[in-house]
Amino acid sequence: MLKILTLIGARPQFIKSAAISRQIQGSFSDRLEEVIVHSGQHYDENMSSVFFKELNLPVPNHHFKLVANNHAAQISEIIEKLEQVIFEEKPGAILVYGDTNTTLAGALVASKINIPLIHVEAGLRSFNKVMPEEINRVLTDHCSSLLFCPSLTAIDNLKNEGLIHHSGACSMDTPGVYLCGDVMYDNSLYFSEKINQSKIDQLGFDEYILLTLHRPSNTDDPMRLKAICELLMMFCDEIQKSMVFPVHPRTKKALETHLSDEEWFAFNNHRYVNVLEPVSYTDMIALEQNCDLVITDSGGVQKEAYFFQKPCMILRSETEWVEIINQGVAFLVDVNFEDFIQKYHLLESKKTTYPKLFGDGNSAEFICNKIANTFV
Ligand code: UD1
Ligand code: UDP
């Protein structure tokens, strides 16, 4: 039996981990044991515990409370607490997801204590190191013994950094690198069937755009955030569609800080704008399934738009999920009205297909199999 210590702490990680935990509890319960550590990075009820309940995640065996706010302090606090837990739990491997500060903390501890690190969602690159996640990804991949890539692009990115697949014993120097598809696709399929649990329909949204926004590059510069709000109101007016906006707590704070009372009032009370608190996962996928268009800067949401065959405008200057762009069903957009309108009409007029770019919905099973066979 291999004891895996899973470190999660941010909203998308709770969601991603659901697919693997389901497998461990199901088909792999005789080969894998999971100890879950919640880093405490996300802590609001609607950013954390809602997912544990709704996705049937095991209650974390260890749950940190962080006091730090800025990045380095947050990472170092997780590192210190995690090291103690690892000494106590003595896992055979550490499993991390994605690219958050929690991910990097786990990677650094694993490499220092010399416990094999497993990275799910390896190989993604924005090639923009100003983005806080980019350095987290690069460092985590280079600390890993098993790298699970959701796309061929991710495999190529790792190859370009010298991380190629080695058969035989896995280590940081000789990692196993696998194309496994996307655990988020597994979840989209699995939880779509439970969509009737969603209460979001009762809000009666019809013919709407779904918006999410939380990248520091969009929220932290007051001028840019104001420009985005103005642009979104103009865009909704122009195409006469409402917009549903579950607001990330970072963005809520930025809106309240960077917009004047009048500006916030105008945005929040705009006839087409519906500002919501963060919603649960099944509510979110119900919103995605029923919307006409997704506008987002989220990595997960742009992919879910693809899974549910919705056109997407990505409010960023680059994306890690280039396949979606190459498929012609999503565009990068600038904070610019003409650009918005032009891309919107292009998306509207395109007849397009959505081939399976992110696996077949069995990524978690593949990953668990490889883990169980690698560390016997
Ligand atoms: C983090 C990840 C980002 C991921 C996002 C998912 C890093 C560097 N960033 O960004 O990659 O896309 O999570 O949602 O790890 N806050 C609350 N309540 C919460 C959580 C956060 O109020 O439950 C507020 C706090 O003021 C906090 C701010 O949001 O300072 C930012 O939170 P943080 O976890 O540092 O970064 P995110 O923007 O959430
Ligand atoms: N999500 C959610 N409720 C929300 C907004 C997003 O459940 O109000 C889900 C979304 O469906 C996706 C994941 O959170 O599965 C994406 O996480 P987020 O956008 O926070 O981070 P990113 O993917 O950009 O790292």
Side-chain angles (χ1 to χ4, degrees):
M1 179 77 91
L2 174 75
K3 187 179 198 179
I4 301 172
L5 186 147
T6 297
L7 176 67
I8 48 182
R11 172 169 69 187
Q13 297 170 330
F14 309 136
I15 295 167
K16 288 165 197 169
S17 74
I20 304 267
S21 293
R22 240 184 356 261
Q23 284 295 325
I24 294 179
Q25 289 169 342
S27 320
F28 291 86
S29 59
D30 54 340
R31 300 168 75 193
L32 302 176
E33 177 197 350
E34 190 176 35
V35 170
I36 297 184
V37 179
H38 186 320
S39 74
Q41 182 172 345
H42 286 175
Y43 45 86
D44 290 346
E45 207 274 334
N46 57 19
M47 292 296 287
S48 174
S49 55
V50 66
F51 300 103
F52 284 83
K53 287 179 212 141
E54 189 179 52
L55 308 184
N56 242 334
L57 289 174
V59 176
N61 304 75
H62 304 268
H63 194 152
F64 305 155
K65 285 221 175 337
L66 303 182
V67 288
N69 244 337
N70 34 18
H71 287 218
Q74 189 179 58
I75 294 165
S76 73
E77 211 182 330
I78 300 171
I79 287 177
E80 274 192 41
K81 291 181 189 325
L82 181 64
E83 191 180 48
Q84 291 311 310
V85 169
I86 291 173
F87 289 147
E88 191 185 310
E89 293 284 357
K90 301 182 178 46
I94 296 174
L95 170 61
V96 293
Y97 293 89
D99 52 21
T100 70
N101 288 342
T102 296
T103 316
L104 177 61
L108 293 176
V109 179
S111 75
K112 292 298 167 194
I113 310 186
N114 201 15
I115 295 177
L117 181 73
I118 303 162
H119 188 201
V120 170
E121 212 177 71
L124 296 183
R125 297 290 181 267
S126 65
F127 302 103
N128 170 10
K129 286 208 180 85
V130 173
M131 182 187 190
E133 291 80 1
E134 184 72 353
I135 203 73
N136 295 349
R137 297 177 185 128
V138 174
L139 297 178
T140 301
D141 285 338
H142 286 262
C143 291
S144 297
S145 296
L146 266 187
L147 292 146
F148 289 107
C149 300
S151 64
L152 275 170
T153 311
I155 294 269
D156 286 342
N157 290 338
L158 291 183
K159 202 183 285 172
N160 290 337
E161 292 173 21
L163 294 172
I164 48 161
H165 177 72
H166 290 76
S167 37
C170 287
S171 71
M172 279 189 276
D173 293 314
T174 58
V177 181
Y178 295 100
L179 177 67
C180 62
D182 197 321
V183 289
M184 292 190 77
Y185 184 50
D186 296 20
N187 277 333
S188 294
L189 294 178
Y190 182 83
F191 287 103
S192 295
E193 290 178 9
K194 302 186 187 298
I195 211 79
N196 53 0
Q197 291 172 5
S198 168
K199 305 262 184 309
I200 207 82
D201 291 349
Q202 293 166 11
L203 297 179
F205 299 124
D206 192 26
E207 299 204 351
Y208 58 90
I209 304 161
L210 176 63
L211 169 74
T212 78
L213 201 70
H214 72 275
R215 297 258 91 90
S217 55
N218 283 330
T219 60
D220 290 8
D221 173 359
M223 295 315 290
R224 184 169 169 97
L225 188 62
K226 279 182 205 193
I228 290 173
C229 291
E230 276 163 25
L231 169 65
L232 290 167
M233 290 188 284
M234 277 168 68
F235 181 62
C236 290
D237 282 337
E238 175 73 16
I239 66 169
Q240 299 190 3
K241 280 197 186 196
S242 40
M243 190 176 72
V244 179
F245 181 20
V247 184
H248 190 287
R250 163 191 284 282
T251 314
K252 181 89 179 291
K253 282 176 192 165
L255 286 165
E256 288 167 356
T257 315
H258 299 331
L259 268 58
S260 67
D261 289 348
E262 294 74 29
E263 287 163 338
W264 171 237
F265 184 86
F267 182 68
N268 199 20
N269 291 287
H270 187 274
R271 64 181 174 144
Y272 286 125
V273 175
N274 300 279
V275 174
L276 308 181
E277 290 297 309
V279 297
S280 77
Y281 178 67
T282 51
D283 284 350
M284 189 63 185
I285 58 177
L287 284 171
E288 288 167 345
Q289 282 182 323
N290 296 321
C291 72
D292 290 348
L293 169 73
V294 173
I295 302 178
T296 191
D297 60 10
S298 155
V301 175
Q302 58 187 273
K303 255 179 314 153
E304 285 166 348
Y306 188 86
F307 302 155
F308 296 121
Q309 309 202 346
K310 299 294 175 182
C312 182
M313 308 217 300
I314 302 167
L315 196 43
R316 283 181 51 191
S317 49
E318 76 281 312
T319 178
E320 303 75 28
W321 305 100
V322 288
E323 308 60 20
I324 305 177
I325 304 274
N326 295 341
Q327 201 54 38
V329 293
F331 283 112
L332 297 170
V333 282
D334 210 356
V335 186
N336 174 293
F337 183 69
E338 278 73 36
D339 194 39
F340 255 59
I341 293 294
Q342 190 204 4
K343 304 272 171 65
Y344 171 70
H345 288 308
L346 273 174
L347 286 168
E348 240 194 351
S349 60
K350 264 197 167 174
K351 293 266 173 300
T352 186
T353 54
Y354 290 78
K356 286 188 178 175
L357 296 174
F358 301 103
D360 55 6
N362 296 309
S363 299
E365 185 185 356
F366 177 93
I367 290 168
C368 289
N369 233 321
K370 288 292 172 207
I371 295 174
N373 291 333
T374 301
F375 302 112
V376 273

